[in-house]
Amino acid sequence: MKDKVYQLMNWPKIEALEYEEEEMPEALLGPQAVGNNVILYQCYFKDAKKVSIVWTETGKKTAMEPADENGFFAALVTGKSKKQYQFLVEIENGEKLLVEDPYQFTFTVSDEDIQKLKSGIHYKMQECLGANEATIDGIEGTKYVFYSRRSASVALCLKGMKYYMSKQPGTNLFRIFIPGVSTREPFTIQFHGYDGVVRQVYSLFDRERTESHTWKKDTYWMYEKKNDFFFPFPVHFKEEVPLLEQAKDILPILQSQRNTHVILDNVYQDKDNLFFAAKDFGSVTALQTVVEFFHKNHIGVIARWNPNIFRPAEYRSTFKRNLLVSNLLYWIETLHLDGYVMDSLAPMLYLDYGKKDGEWKPNIYGGVENLEAVELVKHCNSVASKMYPELILIGNIAAIWPNATKDLQMGGLGFTYRFNTDMEEKLLHYICTEPYSRVQRHNALIYHLSYVHSENFLNAFRIEKENAVWNSIPGTGKEKVLTLKALCAFWISQPGLKVADFASLIPEKEKKLRQEMQEFQALCFADYAQNPALVPEKEDASNFQWINNVHGEDCGVSYIRTTQYEDDCLLYITNFSQDIKDIFRVGVPFEGKYRVVMDSTGETEGEEYLVTEKPWDGRNYSILLTVPALSCLVLQYVPYSEEEIFRMVEAKADLYRDRLRAEAKLKIATRKERLRNP
């Protein structure tokens, strides 16, 4: 190398670059003015044999001199201004590559973006970070920006090349612009630590690049109001079938069950990239098409979103909290979501969740709450609800956490609804117990009533437990289905909103039993959706009344669902034992008749029972009936007709007259006897 070039080179920075410890390679590589009309060009291609500069305008070449044996090259060029160029790189095997030099372009992150990032209020981080299209000096390409607090250097690995990124002064952002590259080009990022450890990851901030989706007139997006009837249905897409095809198959089921929304379980947030659709379920465009299909058919769409991706201490990072808020808003806007389920909250809200003593540290107040994670949840709900006032916010907290559905101003987390996972767990334990032992778990049938009105609960059965539940229910296949039918009818009649798919608890190989359960479930769900006793205008403790909830030996309970009108009264009787109750007496609230409008076994539907004036279960009236094994009966109160009342009145009048006549005859006979025997 010529002495003049050698003396102009910054050898400490060159060494730092080669050891992957240089955070500002743009101050070293690319064109650097070193005097009047003199520019020093430098490049670093590991294992390169020869490198030449190819000038874009003329196509001429300028050979570069090797500065060392590690792949560093340099050249002094006389000229008044910097010109666009490429590198022609010849590697050891003789192959020649024409490579762009990103360091000839000036690119910085804007002050506005930096200020928003530092303040934690950059709600479109994906448009600042990751890979985004850009045009610099008239050249189209992609700008890459990534965040790292503890990296000595950061490298972009793209199309077989490794580009070292420059750190934005005063920030933890590393940036580079690559000309002529599409945002769809796959890449990875290498974070080089000061300890020599290299972490190679995909970008959490990059967006999936698919054909842009043009939304047609999406008038149903967030059409339903929060206070309207809400009856979602869980949808768990299969990997091997196109999403739209599955959506079309499930639509008739949703319509027959009167569902208002679907909750998508597994379609986005790839494990390697928060802004990608899950790899096994197609693209973002495919998801948008599915959402549009549901909206056209007046079905709202809610999707699960999991913020529990960091270690507990990482929620202190303003940047990472900002990332999660941006990600949530991205999916709401990109997919036109009507709501979200914030999933897996307990492990992030509680510092001691799943940990032993000594494995966690209390917060600054000595408590178990992860204060930063709590603030993240509140911030997500606050921003999302302000930007989209009709959005439905659902929290999934598998732990005792108070006021999850209270307003943020009242110290709550700001959710619209909260999954009731406790009820699910107890009922599953109950039905998975042998019938003769269910008396010992009787509390599972009634415990949820002690807290059901303390929050806006959404009673849920999670479908991912399908095989475990089916295999654990005692009995034959037919008995298992009877148990699930009884549970479904019982569950749908409990206070609170619901989301479940009982048919999915039956393995797909049991096609006949699964179809039988699906048909019964559709009847139950449709009845629930249109029955004022089950979905009253204002649900409170008065809408549900126990008749008998203390006789655990009966393996069941009895209760009524009602409104202010007697005609709406429904009587529920469950029997989770394997024994038929042939002569079963139950107290009833009103005089009249009770007709079986649903029997989960189908054995007694249509039967009608007259009330007797025999007090029972603390009621003035009662009925005697047959309750099949493994069943739930629903009886509709039927008041006496006018004709029946007249007949009853006449019968009572005749009985009263006969009694008066008998009494009169007895008095006359007694008087005559006294006269004969004074």
Side-chain angles (χ1 to χ4, degrees):
M1 172 169 281
K2 296 178 181 179
D3 290 342
K4 187 175 181 181
V5 178
Y6 185 91
Q7 293 171 3
L8 291 172
M9 297 176 69
N10 189 330
W11 290 105
K13 278 188 170 291
I14 292 174
E15 184 178 5
L17 179 67
E18 293 179 350
Y19 279 97
E20 299 182 326
E21 294 178 353
E22 175 56 49
E23 64 180 25
M24 286 295 290
E26 67 180 22
L28 177 67
L29 302 175
Q32 308 289 333
V34 293
N36 292 331
N37 299 332
V38 179
I39 299 175
L40 175 64
Y41 290 84
Q42 300 173 94
C43 65
Y44 176 55
F45 295 103
K46 200 169 184 179
D47 300 326
K49 185 178 179 181
K50 294 181 181 179
V51 178
S52 299
I53 302 174
V54 180
W55 304 103
T56 304
E57 186 176 338
T58 63
K60 294 182 178 181
K61 301 176 184 177
T62 299
M64 303 185 75
E65 298 181 64
D68 58 20
E69 297 178 352
N70 296 322
F72 203 92
F73 292 79
L76 270 179
V77 177
T78 302
K80 293 183 179 181
S81 62
K82 301 174 184 177
K83 300 176 182 179
Q84 292 182 359
Y85 61 91
Q86 294 174 303
F87 288 126
L88 181 62
V89 182
E90 182 178 338
I91 56 180
E92 290 293 337
N93 61 7
E95 183 181 356
K96 294 182 179 181
L97 304 173
L98 194 61
V99 180
E100 299 284 355
D101 183 13
Y103 305 103
Q104 64 183 301
F105 299 94
T106 302
F107 161 55
T108 61
V109 182
S110 71
D111 291 340
E112 181 182 1
D113 282 330
I114 291 173
Q115 188 56 44
K116 286 183 177 180
L117 289 171
K118 287 183 176 180
S119 302
I121 57 171
H122 201 307
Y123 298 136
K124 291 192 175 182
M125 290 177 70
Q126 70 278 2
E127 295 181 4
C128 170
L129 305 178
N132 288 280
E133 295 176 354
T135 301
I136 298 179
D137 297 337
I139 303 299
E140 294 182 351
T142 298
K143 59 182 182 180
Y144 298 86
V145 183
F146 303 103
Y147 174 91
S148 180
R149 288 181 59 195
R150 297 182 177 88
S151 293
S153 67
V154 176
L156 170 71
C157 300
L158 174 74
K159 299 179 70 173
M161 301 300 297
K162 188 173 185 177
Y163 301 98
Y164 291 93
M165 307 179 73
S166 295
K167 189 174 185 179
Q168 178 96 1
T171 73
N172 292 312
L173 301 177
F174 289 80
R175 50 174 169 68
I176 197 170
F177 172 76
I178 307 294
V181 173
S182 167
T183 54
R184 297 184 186 180
E185 194 69 42
F187 64 90
T188 57
I189 308 300
Q190 286 185 354
F191 296 99
H192 302 269
Y194 290 100
D195 54 2
V197 176
V198 179
R199 294 182 297 114
Q200 182 161 304
V201 300
Y202 294 90
S203 166
L204 289 175
F205 314 105
D206 187 33
R207 300 195 305 284
E208 181 179 347
R209 310 298 170 173
T210 61
E211 295 298 327
S212 59
H213 183 79
T214 302
W215 290 97
K216 297 174 184 176
K217 193 176 181 181
D218 194 5
T219 57
Y220 204 74
W221 185 23
M222 284 186 277
Y223 174 80
E224 292 293 328
K225 307 299 181 185
K226 288 183 182 179
N227 295 327
D228 288 348
F229 174 61
F230 178 57
F231 187 26
F233 187 75
V235 174
H236 193 85
F237 284 127
K238 302 173 184 176
E239 299 178 13
E240 64 274 10
V241 184
L243 298 185
L244 185 58
E245 183 179 327
Q246 295 184 70
K248 290 179 178 179
D249 288 343
I250 203 173
L251 180 63
I253 297 175
L254 301 173
Q255 293 172 332
S256 68
Q257 295 178 165
R258 307 291 182 92
N259 293 111
T260 62
H261 295 72
V262 290
I263 296 180
L264 306 182
D265 270 355
N266 55 342
V267 293
Y268 65 77
Q269 276 189 295
D270 184 87
K271 65 180 181 179
D272 293 322
N273 197 311
L274 297 180
F275 293 89
F276 268 55
K279 291 179 180 178
D280 296 328
F281 296 94
S283 64
V284 171
T285 303
L287 294 178
Q288 291 171 323
T289 303
V290 167
V291 173
E292 192 169 50
F293 171 77
F294 281 129
H295 281 178
K296 281 183 178 179
N297 289 280
H298 293 184
I299 300 292
V301 178
I302 295 169
R304 291 179 179 266
W305 179 75
N306 186 358
N308 183 25
I309 62 173
F310 298 126
R311 294 188 297 272
E314 293 184 87
Y315 290 98
R316 299 172 189 166
S317 166
T318 300
F319 182 86
K320 291 184 177 179
R321 294 201 303 268
N322 196 173
L323 163 65
L324 290 172
V325 177
S326 298
N327 183 251
L328 175 61
L329 296 177
Y330 167 79
W331 286 113
I332 294 171
E333 181 177 336
T334 301
L335 296 186
H336 281 201
L337 296 180
D338 303 278
Y340 57 79
V341 176
M342 199 178 292
D343 232 344
S344 303
L345 289 179
M348 61 181 283
L349 293 179
Y350 286 100
L351 295 168
D352 65 339
Y353 189 88
K355 296 182 176 64
K356 300 177 182 178
D357 290 343
E359 295 180 345
W360 65 280
K361 295 181 180 179
N363 60 37
I364 58 175
Y365 303 109
V368 298
E369 301 83 6
N370 188 332
L371 302 179
E372 291 79 14
V374 173
E375 288 307 309
L376 167 66
V377 172
K378 291 181 177 181
H379 189 50
C380 284
N381 288 342
S382 174
V383 174
S385 59
K386 285 178 181 177
M387 295 181 67
Y388 306 98
E390 305 305 332
L391 203 64
I392 296 172
L393 319 180
I394 304 173
N396 185 11
I397 312 174
I400 300 174
W401 186 280
N403 302 325
T405 57
K406 293 292 191 302
D407 289 340
L408 294 168
Q409 293 80 3
M410 299 173 62
L413 295 181
F415 288 109
T416 315
Y417 306 108
R418 173 185 180 175
F419 275 151
N420 184 359
T421 55
D422 177 71
M423 178 182 178
E424 171 203 35
E425 293 295 335
K426 284 183 168 55
L427 291 179
L428 287 180
H429 279 303
Y430 186 83
I431 67 167
C432 291
T433 303
E434 290 290 342
Y436 58 80
S437 298
R438 286 174 182 164
V439 61
Q440 301 170 9
R441 294 187 174 178
H442 180 69
N443 192 54
L445 293 176
I446 63 176
Y447 178 73
H448 59 278
L449 268 301
S450 64
Y451 63 82
V452 70
H453 296 295
S454 62
E455 297 256 27
N456 294 332
F457 279 113
L458 186 60
N459 299 332
F461 270 82
R462 294 168 291 178
I463 64 174
E464 58 264 29
K465 290 189 173 184
E466 50 180 335
N467 291 333
V469 173
W470 178 257
N471 293 335
S472 299
I473 299 175
T476 63
K478 185 63 176 178
E479 290 171 332
K480 292 173 187 281
V481 171
L482 288 176
T483 301
L484 285 177
K485 284 183 177 181
L487 181 66
C488 177
F490 168 81
W491 171 84
I492 202 71
S493 67
Q494 297 303 296
L497 298 173
K498 287 91 179 172
V499 54
D501 181 8
F502 286 89
S504 68
L505 297 175
I506 302 175
E508 291 188 4
K509 64 180 181 180
E510 302 285 354
K511 293 183 179 180
K512 186 176 180 180
L513 296 178
R514 190 179 176 108
Q515 181 61 31
E516 180 183 335
M517 186 68 220
Q518 177 62 65
E519 292 172 358
F520 178 79
Q521 172 180 285
L523 289 174
C524 284
F525 286 10
D527 186 56
Y528 160 75
Q530 58 190 351
N531 200 308
L534 298 180
V535 189
E537 292 183 7
K538 182 180 179 182
E539 188 164 37
D540 55 35
S542 66
N543 306 127
F544 182 100
Q545 299 174 23
W546 286 116
I547 291 177
N548 191 322
N549 66 340
V550 296
H551 293 166
E553 63 273 11
D554 291 329
C555 287
V557 289
S558 54
Y559 51 94
I560 60 173
R561 293 303 310 266
T562 188
T563 67
Q564 57 182 323
Y565 305 107
E566 292 182 358
D567 292 3
D568 292 334
C569 178
L570 295 176
L571 169 63
Y572 283 80
I573 304 170
T574 64
N575 177 16
F576 286 101
S577 75
Q578 291 180 320
D579 300 322
I580 300 174
K581 295 179 171 56
D582 286 322
I583 304 176
F584 187 79
R585 184 175 292 276
V586 60
V588 294
F590 310 117
E591 186 179 16
K593 297 177 292 184
Y594 289 82
R595 181 183 301 120
V596 180
V597 294
M598 178 180 287
D599 177 349
S600 61
T601 67
E603 295 179 12
T604 66
E605 283 188 14
E607 294 287 339
E608 200 168 78
Y609 301 95
L610 292 175
V611 166
T612 63
E613 294 185 0
K614 181 177 180 63
W616 202 261
D617 293 327
R619 307 276 177 167
N620 293 328
Y621 309 104
S622 62
I623 57 174
L624 276 176
L625 74 165
T626 298
V627 184
L630 301 175
S631 71
C632 179
L633 303 185
V634 186
L635 291 84
Q636 174 77 52
Y637 168 62
V638 183
Y640 288 128
S641 65
E642 184 176 338
E643 182 180 347
E644 288 173 325
I645 292 175
F646 285 151
R647 287 203 303 267
M648 291 174 62
V649 169
E650 289 176 358
K652 288 184 178 181
D654 290 342
L655 181 63
Y656 184 66
R657 283 194 296 270
D658 291 343
R659 188 169 68 242
L660 289 178
R661 286 176 183 152
E663 290 176 356
K665 288 180 180 179
L666 180 60
K667 289 181 180 179
I668 292 171
T670 302
R671 190 178 299 115
K672 287 181 179 180
E673 181 65 26
R674 287 177 179 174
L675 291 174
R676 285 195 295 269
N677 302 294

